[in-house]
């Protein structure tokens, strides 16, 4: 019912939103003799603000047409090379001729970025992809919005997520480097553990966990405490709703994106209010650069997706209430997951000093859980002065975190394996 009421509310303000757009255009028109007056600018700014606050934000584009390799511009084309109803693995394919002209025949390490499935689209990692592109062959998991997946496509839970990660690593072949950003950390670690137990040749060369709740008991944050203090029935009653008939996934039970967004914004409400006040003032002043930066950020931040009920509830139970992986009790398809089986995959953990979502120590816990990885194959890094999003985006990520990740991956990369895998990826693409 709540989801239907939300949709009804959105539709009911559509005429007002259209009127606001028309008013803004009229007030800013060069044919309007009072366009440069303060009253007209203020009214136009108010119209723009109303439109932006009532708009439905769609999934953003990647907007990564090129990258710079050794000072030369190289074209980039996102292509889906593996897919299921729930996920597409996107390859940021760099133009081969331009690439070889820029840096010769050197092969770059392949990196699978496992994006969070926690409300935002994979495009939230755009700047992460951008940083890796000049020196890596980059792939990313692009998870589907649950409201767009028909009920006939079946369920999707944390065990399906683990199976998807293993399937994508096998499609990429040996010597891939996997990077889990935030939420997927425990599930990616489970996938690598299972592959290690099977002595799978496609187990990754390295695994990097960034701001991940590997053990959410460490330095609990506000989201951790909420998950601990409420029982599962409370979450089912208050957070789970049915998708309206407007969407392909009609009647699927989901944790709606708009509820997730309300939670995100509620954590830092005053900051968002201040940002929109500044946006309004900059619109009145005609500060195009500042208003464009605001739009770019919120076009991404306000675009959210639904999660399936089973995935959301199982994540709460296993990661934030039972701490199953950290306590050695997590089972996948009836088989106990043993991170101690990992001996050949190197481990890097990255945390932000001011992370208010995954506290200090939650990601570091991977070193304790993966007890049998040799000492020389481990690294831990805490980035001073950054919060959760600064761990994988922004200036500090580009200049301080990414260089460490690059060197770590290269330290465990076999040139012969890189060349062999490039041929394999060509077959995956053609398939």
């Amino acid at each position: 019912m709540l989801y239907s009421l939300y949709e009804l509310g959105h539709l009911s303000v559509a005429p007002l939103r259209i009127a606001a757009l028309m008013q803004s255009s009229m007030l800013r028109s060069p044919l309007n003799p009072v366009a440069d007056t303060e009253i007209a600018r203020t009214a136009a700014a108010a119209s723009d603000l109303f439109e932006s606050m009532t708009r439905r934000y769609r999934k953003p584009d990647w907007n990564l047409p090129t990258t710079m390799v050794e000072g030369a511009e190289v074209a980039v084309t996102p292509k889906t090379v593996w897919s299921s109803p729930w996920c597409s693995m996107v390859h940021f394919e760099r133009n081969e001729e331009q690439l070889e002209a820029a840096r010769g025949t050197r092969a770059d390490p392949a990196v699978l970025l496992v994006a969070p499935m926690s409300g935002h689209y994979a495009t939230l990692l755009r700047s992460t992809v951008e940083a890796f592109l000049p020196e890596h062959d980059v792939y990313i998991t692009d998870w589907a919005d649950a409201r767009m997946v028909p009920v006939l496509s079946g369920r999707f839970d944390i065990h399906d997520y683990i199976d998807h990660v293993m399937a994508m690593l096998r499609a990429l072949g040996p010597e891939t480097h996997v990077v889990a950003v935030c939420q997927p950390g425990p599930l990616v670690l489970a996938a690598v553990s299972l592959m290690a137990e099977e002595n799978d040749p496609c187990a990754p060369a390295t695994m990097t966990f960034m701001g991940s709740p590997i053990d959410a008991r460490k330095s609990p944050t506000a989201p951790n405490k909420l998950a601990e203090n409420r029982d599962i029935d409370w979450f089912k009653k208050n957070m789970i709703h049915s998708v309206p008939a407007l969407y392909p996934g009609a009647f699927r039970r989901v944790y709606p994106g708009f509820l997730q967004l309300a939670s995100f914004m509620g954590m830092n409400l005053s900051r968002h209010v201040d940002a929109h006040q500044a946006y309004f003032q900059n619109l009145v002043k005609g500060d195009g650069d500042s208003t464009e930066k605001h739009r770019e950020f919120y076009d991404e931040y306000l675009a959210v997706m639904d999660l399936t009920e089973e995935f959301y509830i199982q994540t709460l139970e296993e990661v934030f209430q039972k701490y199953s992986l950290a306590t050695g009790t997590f089972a996948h398809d009836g088989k106990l997951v043993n991170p101690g089986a990992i001996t050949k995959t190197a481990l890097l953990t990255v945390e932000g000093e001011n992370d208010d979502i995954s506290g200090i120590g939650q990601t570091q816990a991977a070193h304790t859980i993966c007890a049998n990885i040799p000492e020389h194959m481990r690294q831990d890094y805490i980035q001073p002065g950054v919060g959760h999003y600064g761990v994988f985006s922004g200036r500090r990520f580009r200049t301080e975190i990414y260089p460490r990740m690059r060197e770590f991956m290269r330290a465990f990369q076999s040139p012969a394996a890189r060349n062999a895998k490039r041929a394999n990826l060509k077959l995956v693409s053609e398939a």
Side-chain angles (χ1 to χ4, degrees):
M1 177 64 75
L2 179 63
Y3 207 142
S4 297
L5 289 174
Y6 170 78
E7 290 295 333
L8 181 62
H10 175 74
L11 292 172
S12 67
V13 299
L16 297 176
R17 187 166 53 253
I18 294 170
L21 283 170
M22 293 175 63
Q23 177 171 284
S24 176
S25 298
M26 179 187 70
L27 290 170
R28 287 195 169 92
S29 170
L31 300 178
N32 184 356
V34 297
D36 289 331
T37 64
E38 185 171 354
I39 292 177
R41 291 198 304 270
T42 302
S47 298
D48 286 349
L49 184 61
F50 177 83
E51 188 279 330
S52 68
M53 293 179 68
T54 57
R55 185 197 320 164
R56 175 65 53 79
Y57 287 81
R58 65 177 183 82
K59 180 182 178 180
D61 296 324
W62 282 106
N63 290 328
L64 292 171
T66 62
T67 187
M68 297 300 293
V69 178
E70 303 292 344
E73 189 173 66
V74 174
V76 177
T77 305
K79 291 185 177 180
T80 297
V81 294
W82 184 96
S83 66
S84 80
W86 293 100
C87 185
S88 297
M89 181 167 68
V90 177
H91 179 208
F92 293 90
E93 185 178 277
R94 298 170 296 177
N95 182 278
E96 195 66 33
E97 291 182 4
Q98 296 174 343
L99 194 59
E100 291 192 5
R103 56 100 166 105
T105 57
R106 182 195 78 223
D108 289 334
V111 177
L112 173 62
L113 298 174
V114 183
M117 190 175 179
S118 56
H120 286 106
Y121 293 97
T123 50
L124 189 68
L125 302 189
R126 183 185 294 104
S127 61
T128 317
V129 173
E130 187 175 23
F132 274 94
L133 271 174
E135 301 171 293
H136 299 84
D137 196 18
V138 184
Y139 299 78
I140 195 167
T141 59
D142 192 0
W143 301 104
D145 185 343
R147 68 174 171 258
M148 303 305 292
V149 182
V151 173
L152 291 176
S153 294
R155 292 162 48 89
F156 185 86
D157 61 17
I158 60 174
H159 301 289
D160 296 310
Y161 192 112
I162 292 168
D163 288 337
H164 272 61
V165 172
M166 290 192 290
M168 285 182 271
L169 286 171
R170 287 167 181 150
L172 291 171
E175 295 293 316
T176 300
H177 302 267
V178 65
V179 177
V181 180
C182 188
Q183 168 268 327
L187 306 185
V188 171
L189 179 52
V192 177
S193 301
L194 291 164
M195 296 178 79
E197 280 202 272
E198 297 171 4
N199 201 25
D200 193 318
C202 295
T206 71
M207 53 183 178
T208 300
F209 302 108
M210 310 180 73
S212 295
I214 303 295
D215 187 348
R217 295 173 298 179
K218 311 287 186 181
S219 305
T221 60
N224 300 147
K225 293 174 182 177
L226 174 63
E228 290 175 349
N229 295 335
R230 304 281 189 180
D231 61 30
I232 287 300
D233 285 339
W234 184 91
F235 286 102
K236 288 181 177 180
K237 290 176 182 176
N238 292 278
M239 299 298 180
I240 304 301
H241 300 276
S242 296
V243 176
L246 296 170
Y247 297 100
F251 312 117
R252 182 181 293 281
R253 297 287 284 171
V254 298
Y255 176 32
F258 66 85
L259 285 181
Q260 298 170 70
L261 183 60
S263 299
F264 297 151
M265 300 194 74
M267 290 177 61
N268 296 286
L269 185 59
S270 60
R271 185 183 304 172
H272 293 294
V273 171
D274 291 344
H276 280 79
Q277 287 178 340
Y279 174 59
F280 176 77
Q281 292 164 0
N282 289 326
L283 283 169
V284 174
K285 291 187 294 185
D287 186 345
D289 290 340
S290 297
T291 56
E292 186 58 30
K293 288 179 181 178
H294 176 96
R295 289 192 188 104
E296 287 177 2
F297 174 80
Y298 279 100
D299 282 355
E300 188 75 56
Y301 190 78
L302 298 177
V304 289
M305 55 187 279
D306 295 354
L307 308 182
T308 66
E309 174 185 20
E310 55 273 18
F311 180 84
Y312 174 65
I313 295 299
Q314 286 179 350
T315 299
L316 284 172
E317 286 184 310
E318 301 293 345
V319 178
F320 296 105
Q321 293 187 349
K322 296 179 180 177
Y323 320 105
S324 301
L325 191 65
T327 58
T329 59
F330 182 69
H332 177 69
D333 290 342
K335 181 179 181 181
L336 203 63
V337 174
N338 176 25
I342 304 173
T343 59
K344 299 177 183 178
T345 298
L347 170 64
L348 170 63
T349 54
V350 182
E351 295 182 319
E353 179 186 28
N354 303 323
D355 195 331
D356 59 353
I357 295 179
S358 294
I360 294 292
Q362 293 189 16
T363 310
Q364 290 174 338
H367 292 278
T368 302
I369 296 171
C370 301
N372 295 319
I373 297 177
E375 195 62 33
H376 74 279
M377 295 173 64
R378 304 166 172 269
Q379 284 187 31
D380 173 59
Y381 179 66
I382 298 177
Q383 176 60 52
V386 303
H388 187 70
Y389 293 101
V391 170
F392 58 87
S393 64
R395 179 180 59 83
R396 294 282 184 86
F397 169 75
R398 292 192 303 272
T399 60
E400 299 180 51
I401 296 175
Y402 165 71
R404 286 176 168 82
M405 297 175 68
R406 177 190 60 208
E407 296 309 313
F408 178 77
M409 291 176 185
R410 274 167 168 68
F412 299 98
Q413 181 74 17
S414 162
R418 284 204 306 267
N419 291 332
K421 187 166 63 57
R422 284 167 63 83
N424 179 49
L425 288 179
K426 185 177 181 182
L427 294 175
V428 173
S429 263
E430 290 173 350

